Amino acid sequence: QVQLVESGGGLVQPGGSLRLSCAASGSILSINSMGWYRQAPGKERELVATISSGGSTNYADSVKGRFTISRDNAKNTVYLQMNSLKPEDTAVYFCHTNVFTYSPKFQSLDYWGQGTQVTVSS
């Protein structure tokens, strides 16, 4: 199977910055896409940003211009640079990937990380 390990969450003041990292490992033949989703208390999980293997990106309107998603294909790692953070950005951020795996068989599957807390507060 595939494992996702997230890091970089924490407490930051409004206007501050954080960078989240997510490293994928396991039975990966290739990665179709990686991205970040978040879930705030009392709200549904929402897409934050995604990036395909070809480099195409997609951002939620609420973070456009403030967040940047990038990836290091050699390390199977995706990053989310978060600038000009607002209290509204407070949420648990989940890493996601869609991969082609070879074990136990060849198939395309979705995997989720355990989540990392981001809190924006003064």
Side-chain angles (χ1 to χ4, degrees), residues 41-85:
K43 295 186 177 181
E44 295 183 341
R45 185 165 56 186
E46 65 175 352
L47 182 148
V48 177
T50 61
I51 185 167
S52 71
S53 294
S56 298
T57 58
N58 184 40
Y59 295 93
D61 288 341
S62 60
V63 307
K64 198 169 298 182
R66 299 187 298 121
F67 292 9
T68 302
I69 189 169
S70 61
R71 65 185 298 169
D72 184 337
N73 291 332
K75 297 180 179 180
N76 287 339
T77 299
V78 64
Y79 305 94
L80 184 68
Q81 179 65 48
M82 305 185 293
N83 298 325
S84 301
L85 283 161

Side-chain angles (χ1 to χ4, degrees), residues 3-122:
Q3 299 81 42
L4 299 176
V5 179
E6 300 146 316
S7 63
L11 175 65
V12 65
Q13 294 186 168
S17 298
L18 286 173
R19 190 180 77 156
L20 305 183
S21 299
C22 175
S25 62
S27 304
I28 301 171
L29 185 62
S30 63
I31 296 177
N32 296 318
S33 66
M34 298 189 77
W36 293 93
Y37 295 71
R38 68 186 182 187
Q39 187 164 21
K43 295 186 177 181
E44 295 183 341
R45 185 165 56 186
E46 65 175 352
L47 182 148
V48 177
T50 61
I51 185 167
S52 71
S53 294
S56 298
T57 58
N58 184 40
Y59 295 93
D61 288 341
S62 60
V63 307
K64 198 169 298 182
R66 299 187 298 121
F67 292 9
T68 302
I69 189 169
S70 61
R71 65 185 298 169
D72 184 337
N73 291 332
K75 297 180 179 180
N76 287 339
T77 299
V78 64
Y79 305 94
L80 184 68
Q81 179 65 48
M82 305 185 293
N83 298 325
S84 301
L85 283 161
K86 305 175 181 179
E88 299 93 307
D89 296 317
T90 297
V92 177
Y93 284 69
F94 296 92
C95 181
H96 166 266
T97 187
N98 179 267
V99 306
F100 286 117
T101 184
Y102 56 84
S103 180
K105 61 181 180 180
F106 179 77
Q107 58 189 318
S108 180
L109 294 172
D110 292 290
Y111 291 92
W112 294 89
Q114 77 284 352
T116 184
Q117 178 71 49
V118 172
T119 302
V120 184
S121 176
S122 60

